[in-house]
Amino acid sequence: MQSDIHQLVKRFERQEGRRPRILVAEMGADGDGRGQTVAAAAFADLGFDVDVGPSKQTPANMARQAVENDVHVVSLSSLGDGPLTLLSGLREELAALGREDILTVVGGVDPVADRAALIEAGTVALFGSQTEIGETAIQLLRELADRLGLELDDAGSSTEA
């Protein structure tokens, strides 16, 4: 699976002119620094450009950092009961900065329990402690490609990198 993801990242980079860039954020005071570190390392291993946000940030701070670093995606890591509130705040702040195009994903112990509400609030993917991050990466790459008008399938690729 990892080599497949690397090929998708190469196709993305060839068409977009840069690798997919993700900000791995820990917001609020729930202390999910370990999850943030694991997610950042996994996305980097898969070929993403990864920015790691400071711990315990507000949605406004994370939105500002996402915009300043021109990321494609913000990955919100949360252990507590607050991911929906934090995600809603982040989406509002991104909109206020004119960057509603930045995708959001939510990770943590079990964000899947709030799946419907989190998706309605604007997340495009969820991953819990038992989720294969590679699956999330593929989902993100396909969503980004769709929104940017890129073609990641072999048919749309004239040469392999």
Side-chain angles (χ1 to χ4, degrees):
M1 177 189 282
Q2 193 168 4
S3 65
D4 293 340
I5 298 168
H6 282 266
Q7 288 302 314
L8 290 175
V9 168
K10 287 178 183 177
R11 290 179 192 134
F12 181 95
E13 181 179 12
R14 192 170 39 253
Q15 294 176 55
E16 174 70 359
R18 63 183 180 138
R19 292 185 295 169
R21 188 173 191 124
I22 186 168
L23 169 61
V24 181
E26 182 210 334
M27 293 192 293
D30 68 3
D32 192 22
R34 183 175 188 279
Q36 181 185 26
T37 302
V38 169
F43 281 113
D45 286 347
L46 296 171
F48 282 64
D49 277 337
V50 177
D51 295 347
V52 178
S55 296
K56 298 175 177 65
Q57 294 298 299
T58 66
N61 290 342
M62 293 301 9
R64 224 175 357 267
Q65 184 175 357
V67 170
E68 288 170 1
N69 294 354
D70 195 24
V71 301
H72 294 101
V73 180
V74 175
S75 173
L76 165 60
S77 183
S78 179
L79 285 175
D81 295 333
L84 182 57
T85 300
L86 294 170
L87 174 67
S88 296
L90 178 61
R91 296 295 328 154
E92 288 172 13
E93 294 292 340
L94 289 169
L97 294 171
R99 291 300 310 269
E100 293 174 287
D101 61 307
I102 295 176
L103 303 181
T104 50
V105 298
V106 176
V109 174
D110 192 17
V112 178
D114 296 323
R115 173 179 284 284
L118 288 165
I119 289 174
E120 187 175 320
T123 194
V124 296
L126 301 166
F127 60 97
S129 59
Q130 302 302 311
T131 304
E132 168 61 47
I133 290 185
E135 294 171 10
T136 303
I138 290 171
Q139 188 177 352
L140 284 175
L141 286 165
R142 296 214 178 273
E143 182 70 26
L144 277 171
D146 184 54
R147 291 184 185 209
L148 296 170
L150 308 178
E151 180 59 56
L152 296 184
D153 294 326
D154 286 331
S157 176
S158 58
T159 59
E160 290 299 316

